[in-house]
Amino acid sequence: MDNTLIYVTGNSVKFEVALNAFNNTGVNIIQMKLDTPEIQSKSVQEVAMYSARWASRQTSKSVIVTDAGFYIEALKGFPGPFIKYVNEWLSADDFINLVKGKSDRSIFIQDCLAYCHPDSEPITFTGTYRGRLATQPSRNQGTSIEKVFIPEGFDLPISDIPPEEMISYWSNGEIMSKFKDYIIKNQII
Protein backbone atom coordinates (compact mmCIF):
# COMPACT_ATOMS: atom_id res chain seq x y z
CA MET A 1 0.00 0.00 0.00
CA ASP A 2 1.28 3.45 -0.94
CA ASN A 3 0.78 5.46 2.22
CA THR A 4 1.00 8.87 0.52
CA LEU A 5 -2.01 11.09 0.14
CA ILE A 6 -2.02 14.39 -1.74
CA TYR A 7 -3.98 17.25 -0.24
CA VAL A 8 -4.81 19.67 -3.04
CA THR A 9 -4.89 23.04 -1.33
CA GLY A 10 -3.01 26.31 -1.32
CA ASN A 11 -4.16 26.97 2.24
CA SER A 12 -1.35 26.30 4.73
CA VAL A 13 -3.75 26.14 7.71
CA LYS A 14 -5.85 23.45 6.01
CA PHE A 15 -2.67 21.49 5.31
CA GLU A 16 -1.52 21.82 8.95
CA VAL A 17 -4.93 20.53 10.05
CA ALA A 18 -4.49 17.42 7.91
CA LEU A 19 -0.93 16.87 9.16
CA ASN A 20 -2.15 17.20 12.73
CA ALA A 21 -5.09 14.82 12.18
CA PHE A 22 -2.88 12.14 10.60
CA ASN A 23 0.02 12.47 13.04
CA ASN A 24 1.32 9.01 14.08
CA THR A 25 -0.92 7.12 11.66
CA GLY A 26 1.67 6.10 9.05
CA VAL A 27 -0.16 8.13 6.41
CA ASN A 28 2.07 10.65 4.64
CA ILE A 29 0.20 13.83 3.65
CA ILE A 30 1.72 15.98 0.91
CA GLN A 31 0.42 19.41 -0.05
CA MET A 32 -0.04 20.24 -3.70
CA LYS A 33 -1.12 23.64 -4.95
CA LEU A 34 -3.19 22.99 -8.02
CA ASP A 35 -5.85 25.28 -9.45
CA THR A 36 -8.81 22.98 -9.78
CA PRO A 37 -11.90 24.00 -11.70
CA GLU A 38 -14.58 25.02 -9.21
CA ILE A 39 -18.08 24.38 -10.46
CA GLN A 40 -20.92 26.59 -9.32
CA SER A 41 -23.34 24.63 -7.18
CA LYS A 42 -25.43 25.15 -4.07
CA SER A 43 -23.86 21.94 -2.74
CA VAL A 44 -20.38 21.95 -1.15
CA GLN A 45 -20.34 18.18 -1.74
CA GLU A 46 -20.76 18.60 -5.50
CA VAL A 47 -18.04 21.26 -5.63
CA ALA A 48 -15.57 19.14 -3.62
CA MET A 49 -16.37 15.94 -5.55
CA TYR A 50 -15.85 17.61 -8.93
CA SER A 51 -12.51 19.12 -7.86
CA ALA A 52 -11.28 15.85 -6.31
CA ARG A 53 -12.22 13.82 -9.39
CA TRP A 54 -10.47 16.32 -11.66
CA ALA A 55 -7.32 16.51 -9.48
CA SER A 56 -6.98 12.74 -9.12
CA ARG A 57 -7.22 12.31 -12.89
CA GLN A 58 -4.67 15.08 -13.50
CA THR A 59 -2.15 13.73 -10.98
CA SER A 60 -2.90 10.00 -11.33
CA LYS A 61 -2.76 9.93 -7.50
CA SER A 62 -5.15 9.64 -4.59
CA VAL A 63 -6.14 13.12 -3.49
CA ILE A 64 -8.27 14.95 -1.00
CA VAL A 65 -9.95 18.27 -1.63
CA THR A 66 -12.00 20.26 0.86
CA ASP A 67 -14.70 22.82 0.33
CA ALA A 68 -16.79 24.76 2.81
CA GLY A 69 -19.90 26.86 2.87
CA PHE A 70 -20.79 29.52 5.45
CA TYR A 71 -24.50 29.75 6.16
CA ILE A 72 -25.85 32.81 7.98
CA GLU A 73 -29.26 31.82 9.37
CA ALA A 74 -30.74 35.35 9.34
CA LEU A 75 -29.82 35.65 5.64
CA LYS A 76 -31.49 32.35 4.66
CA GLY A 77 -28.14 30.61 4.33
CA PHE A 78 -26.27 33.29 2.40
CA PRO A 79 -23.45 33.09 1.26
CA GLY A 80 -23.40 29.28 1.43
CA PRO A 81 -20.84 27.61 -0.85
CA PHE A 82 -20.15 30.91 -2.61
CA ILE A 83 -18.01 32.16 0.29
CA LYS A 84 -14.80 32.21 -1.77
CA TYR A 85 -16.24 34.87 -4.06
CA VAL A 86 -18.25 36.71 -1.42
CA ASN A 87 -15.07 37.09 0.66
CA GLU A 88 -13.60 38.97 -2.30
CA TRP A 89 -16.65 41.22 -2.68
CA LEU A 90 -17.72 41.92 0.91
CA SER A 91 -15.73 43.28 3.81
CA ALA A 92 -16.13 42.14 7.41
CA ASP A 93 -18.11 45.35 8.03
CA ASP A 94 -20.42 44.43 5.13
CA PHE A 95 -21.23 41.09 6.82
CA ILE A 96 -22.00 42.92 10.08
CA ASN A 97 -24.25 45.38 8.24
CA LEU A 98 -26.14 42.59 6.48
CA VAL A 99 -27.42 41.30 9.83
CA LYS A 100 -27.98 44.71 11.40
CA GLY A 101 -31.30 44.72 13.23
CA LYS A 102 -31.64 40.92 13.14
CA SER A 103 -31.73 39.04 16.43
CA ASP A 104 -30.50 35.72 15.01
CA ARG A 105 -26.72 35.91 14.61
CA SER A 106 -26.19 32.16 14.26
CA ILE A 107 -24.00 30.88 11.47
CA PHE A 108 -22.71 27.46 10.58
CA ILE A 109 -19.98 26.12 8.38
CA GLN A 110 -20.70 23.05 6.32
CA ASP A 111 -17.37 21.43 5.58
CA CYS A 112 -16.82 18.70 3.01
CA LEU A 113 -13.76 16.58 2.31
CA ALA A 114 -13.75 14.62 -0.96
CA TYR A 115 -11.32 11.72 -1.37
CA CYS A 116 -10.70 10.32 -4.83
CA HIS A 117 -8.47 7.60 -6.24
CA PRO A 118 -7.85 8.06 -9.99
CA ASP A 119 -9.71 4.82 -10.80
CA SER A 120 -12.73 5.55 -8.59
CA GLU A 121 -15.47 8.02 -7.95
CA PRO A 122 -15.06 10.47 -5.06
CA ILE A 123 -16.20 9.65 -1.55
CA THR A 124 -17.26 12.54 0.69
CA PHE A 125 -17.14 13.22 4.40
CA THR A 126 -19.09 16.15 5.80
CA GLY A 127 -19.22 18.02 9.06
CA THR A 128 -20.76 21.10 10.58
CA TYR A 129 -19.25 23.78 12.79
CA ARG A 130 -21.65 26.12 14.55
CA GLY A 131 -21.07 29.62 15.82
CA ARG A 132 -22.30 33.17 15.68
CA LEU A 133 -21.57 36.41 13.87
CA ALA A 134 -19.61 38.97 15.87
CA THR A 135 -21.12 42.38 16.57
CA GLN A 136 -17.82 44.07 15.67
CA PRO A 137 -15.33 42.74 13.11
CA SER A 138 -11.79 41.86 14.08
CA ARG A 139 -9.07 44.16 12.82
CA ASN A 140 -6.57 41.30 12.57
CA GLN A 141 -5.58 39.66 9.31
CA GLY A 142 -7.88 37.09 7.76
CA THR A 143 -10.70 36.78 5.28
CA SER A 144 -13.86 38.79 5.81
CA ILE A 145 -15.69 35.79 7.25
CA GLU A 146 -12.76 34.88 9.54
CA LYS A 147 -13.03 38.38 11.01
CA VAL A 148 -16.70 37.90 11.99
CA PHE A 149 -17.25 34.16 12.61
CA ILE A 150 -17.02 33.17 16.29
CA PRO A 151 -16.91 29.37 16.54
CA GLU A 152 -18.96 27.66 19.25
CA GLY A 153 -16.85 27.39 22.40
CA PHE A 154 -14.92 30.58 21.64
CA ASP A 155 -15.51 34.25 22.45
CA LEU A 156 -13.46 35.68 19.57
CA PRO A 157 -13.62 35.56 15.77
CA ILE A 158 -11.34 33.07 14.01
CA SER A 159 -8.85 35.79 13.04
CA ASP A 160 -8.29 36.61 16.75
CA ILE A 161 -7.76 33.00 17.86
CA PRO A 162 -4.14 31.76 17.85
CA PRO A 163 -3.48 29.62 14.75
CA GLU A 164 -2.43 26.58 16.81
CA GLU A 165 -5.81 26.64 18.63
CA MET A 166 -7.70 26.80 15.34
CA ILE A 167 -5.59 23.99 13.85
CA SER A 168 -6.48 21.84 16.86
CA TYR A 169 -10.15 22.83 16.57
CA TRP A 170 -10.37 21.93 12.85
CA SER A 171 -8.21 18.78 13.28
CA ASN A 172 -10.66 17.33 15.79
CA GLY A 173 -13.67 18.18 13.67
CA GLU A 174 -16.02 15.69 12.08
CA ILE A 175 -14.60 15.46 8.58
CA MET A 176 -10.97 14.80 9.45
CA SER A 177 -11.99 12.28 12.14
CA LYS A 178 -14.40 10.45 9.80
CA PHE A 179 -11.90 10.45 6.94
CA LYS A 180 -8.99 9.27 9.11
CA ASP A 181 -11.11 6.42 10.49
CA TYR A 182 -12.13 5.44 6.95
CA ILE A 183 -8.56 5.44 5.60
CA ILE A 184 -7.13 3.50 8.56
CA LYS A 185 -10.00 0.98 8.73
CA ASN A 186 -9.93 0.23 5.01
CA GLN A 187 -6.14 0.53 4.63
CA ILE A 188 -6.51 2.32 1.34
CA ILE A 189 -5.02 5.32 -0.34
Side-chain angles (χ1 to χ4, degrees):
M1 169 178 100
D2 179 8
N3 66 346
T4 301
L5 183 61
I6 296 173
Y7 190 175
V8 178
T9 183
N11 186 315
S12 61
V13 171
K14 286 183 177 184
F15 181 63
E16 287 294 323
V17 166
L19 287 177
N20 195 37
F22 279 90
N23 190 28
N24 297 320
T25 63
V27 176
N28 184 29
I29 308 286
I30 296 173
Q31 181 180 16
M32 178 183 284
K33 295 177 184 178
L34 181 65
D35 285 330
T36 61
E38 188 171 308
I39 63 166
Q40 297 306 300
S41 171
K42 290 182 182 178
S43 165
V44 292
Q45 290 87 353
E46 286 180 15
V47 174
M49 287 173 60
Y50 184 89
S51 294
R53 184 182 302 112
W54 184 89
S56 71
R57 303 309 192 265
Q58 293 297 310
T59 63
S60 299
K61 304 278 184 191
S62 294
V63 302
I64 59 173
V65 174
T66 53
D67 196 67
F70 288 75
Y71 300 82
I72 301 170
E73 302 276 3
L75 301 178
K76 298 181 181 178
F78 176 82
F82 306 107
I83 190 63
K84 176 180 176 180
Y85 302 105
V86 172
N87 262 328
E88 294 173 10
W89 301 328
L90 299 180
S91 69
D93 288 313
D94 291 333
F95 277 110
I96 299 294
N97 288 329
L98 286 171
V99 296
K100 191 178 244 174
K102 299 188 183 289
S103 58
D104 185 359
R105 300 187 77 76
S106 58
I107 181 173
F108 68 91
I109 299 172
Q110 184 178 38
D111 213 2
C112 181
L113 180 149
Y115 161 78
C116 192
H117 184 278
D119 300 326
S120 304
E121 286 301 304
I123 299 168
T124 61
F125 302 84
T126 59
T128 302
Y129 301 92
R130 299 204 170 275
R132 67 186 189 285
L133 223 58
T135 55
Q136 294 292 318
S138 167
R139 297 298 170 207
N140 288 335
Q141 286 190 329
T143 65
S144 296
I145 201 72
E146 289 171 342
K147 293 178 180 186
V148 297
F149 177 69
I150 301 172
E152 200 170 73
F154 291 89
D155 294 324
L156 300 169
I158 290 172
S159 61
D160 289 354
I161 300 169
E164 57 278 357
E165 281 186 54
M166 286 312 303
I167 289 169
S168 177
Y169 174 78
W170 301 123
S171 298
N172 293 312
E174 288 179 86
I175 67 166
M176 276 300 166
S177 298
K178 289 177 187 176
F179 178 62
K180 181 172 72 173
D181 291 347
Y182 172 81
I183 289 293
I184 292 169
K185 178 182 175 187
N186 294 295
Q187 297 184 352
I188 57 170
I189 293 188

